[in-house]
Amino acid sequence: MELDKYQKIFIQESSKYLDELDTVLIRVEKNLQDQQLWGDIHGKIHSVKGMARALSMTDLATFCHAMESWCKSFQDGTKIPDERIVQLLFDGTDLLKAFVAGKGKISEPEDLERLRSISEDLAKAPEDLVDRAESEIRPSAAPGKIDRIRVDYALIESLLARSQEIMLLEKTLPPLTQDQISAGLGTWISHYISMLKGLYFQLAQLRLMPVQDFGELFRKTIRDLAKSYNRDVTLEIVGGEIEVDIGLMDRLREPFMHLLRNAVAHGIEPPDEREKSGKTREGKIVLEAERRGDQLILTISDDGRGLDREAISAYLKDKMGMSHEEMNALSNEKLLNIICRPDFSSVGETTQLAGRGIGMNVIAQSIEYLGGNMKIQSEPSKGIRFIISLPLSLSIIYAVLFRLGNYILAIPTSHVQAIENEDLKSSETVEQFCDLRSLLRMDAEGSGKGHIIRLRQSAKPHVPPPDNKGLGVAADAIIGNMPLMAIPLGELLAKTGLFAGVGIMENGDISLILDLEKIQTAVA
Amino acid sequence: MDIFIFEAAGHYIGIEAKYIYRIADNVMIVPVPLVPACYEGLIYYRGDLFDVIDMGRLMENETSTLHDDPYIILLKWDTGKLGLIPDRIVGMKWVEGNGGTLTVFNKKGDTANLMTPDEIWNKLAGLAYGT
């Protein structure tokens, strides 16, 4: 029983180190002489070795030791690493994962053969290593089911403290006479419910995963695909701090895997071809997340060759019998959306990695199933952008809450430039003033007094505003900057046309989250 | 079937009991702008957001009489959620079949109109919002 417990800890800890190892190996592949990175790799392999030894997993520890010896020589500069060595270490890491999954043993014949081959290579001096066979390229699968997320220690502490406080409430229930029961018990129950709401609010945060973590799941896969297709590709993640429900992210794994595979297989050109056309040798795939109203916008773009318009034209002519005139009459959007038809394929032949019939239509259907939609933008030789809009089923946002008349309203903090405690007329920094009272059909009383919330000009929080001027919104009183659980508007409130969602505060109170795009449109 | 009956603006309204999720009281209703007069606001109850409607205003544009401590009838059905503020809750009644009206037990022998949540919702959705 004890051994099982330690093996479970070993699997959890080693898996974490090995996932991190993939990330550092991707970095060192681009900076082969970075001794600090080699030190980092050395440290992670050493940690896995130490745990394996403690559990008497001799084979695993020996294998780690061989990898570790190489890393040490690159760390202290006594040997010079090259790409073949990094590939060998990637293969070694994959094998270690199989070791860990098998609790220190490998039983698959295929893995045994790889173990023998990699062990033989590791026994050589780095300079004696020959190129590994091309046949070892394997198709990359989508990352495994997302069943674990990182949780801030502070959140766990806070949850425990709140749970304890709720348990202690039992002791604070005062002895009540029959007459007092109604009022006294009511107050106590209100307090109890308020605590429970706070607990629920924090528990809900456990379901959230930063987009950065989601993107990182694909980094190794993209690297492997790029190697397979002789491409040089990097992944950039923008807006990675946005947190999204893990359930939604998990359902997006397969569609994203297909989009990324297509980007590497069909989009990004080989380095020489890119250089000839004036591009950098390294292609770039960008995963960008943005919250717009009650929608999560995820964009995957690449700077490759763009959509194969000839293949689209051939499809329209051969399969749909369209003439050139009819094709020319199609809008760009409709033309590009042709790739989402079930029988469309731009790949002439099926390879091990692409063209297997898992087409764009499956991706589009998956997005639709989640209540979202996908737009495609592409320009020849400039690349392609898939813009996916999804409903935010659950998310925690930070927002500035303020009171205006009887209403409690919220503006996402990322959209707030500043809050000024001054009269509108004296403010020279506000270019436009939004009279919310008028927009919300409120009485004019109090207009122009109190605070002005100055908004960023760009809806994207990571894009700095071009100047200090922007749109100003008047508030009677500022409640504070606090986390809100954002939930979508119901059908009725959506008809009002000015709100992006409903925010639930930690104490269970409700606020209305303003849709700033609609507000700006209304002002304009 | 069991019918839950309440009174609003002089009407008796019956709703099949299976749609009644809870009868809430002492819940603060948060006001919302740009909605019709019958739309009282929002409540967040046990993890769900409910639009709260004054049934008196919805039926006859008359204000409910029990605003000091209103009970809220929370409905949940397959396509929606709604909170209704009645003037008075009458109670439950068992009726056979799916008749459109039924007699309420009082001296006057009043009748109650049976409504489905979708009928109430459609009436609400037909009103003007955002103006």
Side-chain angles (χ1 to χ4, degrees), chain A residues 200 439 485 492-493 495-496 510, chain B residues 31-34 39 44 125 129:
Chain A
Y200 174 81
L439 278 180
M485 187 163 68
L492 299 178
L493 276 186
K495 289 166 178 268
T496 60
I510 294 173
Chain B
V32 174
L34 304 174
Y39 190 108
Y44 186 61
Y129 293 78

Side-chain angles (χ1 to χ4, degrees), chain A residues 73-92:
Chain A
S73 61
F74 306 136
Q75 183 187 353
D76 58 26
T78 52
K79 306 260 185 198
I80 307 297
D82 62 27
E83 283 186 9
R84 293 170 308 164
I85 284 159
V86 178
Q87 182 57 53
L88 181 62
L89 291 174
F90 268 121
D91 292 344

Side-chain angles (χ1 to χ4, degrees), chain B residues 38-110:
Chain B
C38 65
Y39 190 108
E40 285 283 313
L42 287 168
I43 62 167
Y44 186 61
Y45 188 84
R46 301 194 181 185
D48 283 314
L49 201 63
F50 289 85
D51 303 284
V52 180
I53 307 303
D54 183 331
M55 281 302 284
R57 275 190 185 270
L58 179 66
M59 301 302 290
E60 293 289 341
N61 207 23
E62 287 178 20
T63 315
S64 279
T65 54
L66 296 175
H67 267 220
D68 290 345
D69 182 14
Y71 288 100
I72 304 174
I73 304 163
L74 301 180
L75 308 182
K76 257 191 179 183
W77 67 106
D78 53 353
T79 54
K81 298 183 292 265
L82 207 52
L84 308 179
I85 300 178
D87 287 353
R88 189 171 67 90
I89 289 174
V90 176
M92 299 279 283
K93 182 174 168 55
W94 170 261
V95 294
E96 296 288 345
N98 295 312
T101 58
L102 57 111
T103 305
V104 177
F105 290 110
N106 63 10
K107 286 179 184 170
K108 293 190 284 180
D110 287 323

Side-chain angles (χ1 to χ4, degrees), chain A residues 275-294:
Chain A
E275 203 165 34
K276 275 182 196 163
S277 57
K279 294 181 178 179
T280 55
R281 287 181 67 80
E282 187 181 67
K284 191 198 277 185
I285 296 174
V286 180
L287 167 61
E288 186 174 358
E290 187 193 342
R291 193 181 286 111
R292 203 179 292 163
D294 60 350

Side-chain angles (χ1 to χ4, degrees), chain A residues 107-154:
Chain A
S107 53
E108 295 289 327
E110 194 185 329
D111 282 343
L112 277 171
E113 178 55 32
R114 287 185 67 217
L115 172 62
R116 187 194 57 75
S117 160
I118 297 170
S119 299
E120 280 176 6
D121 281 345
L122 285 170
K124 296 173 187 167
E127 56 273 21
D128 295 335
L129 193 66
V130 292
D131 280 332
R132 296 178 70 74
E134 287 296 321
S135 63
E136 288 190 12
I137 295 170
R138 294 177 300 281
S140 299
K145 180 170 174 55
I146 305 172
D147 55 3
R148 200 168 295 167
I149 48 171
R150 288 184 298 140
V151 178
D152 274 350
Y153 178 68

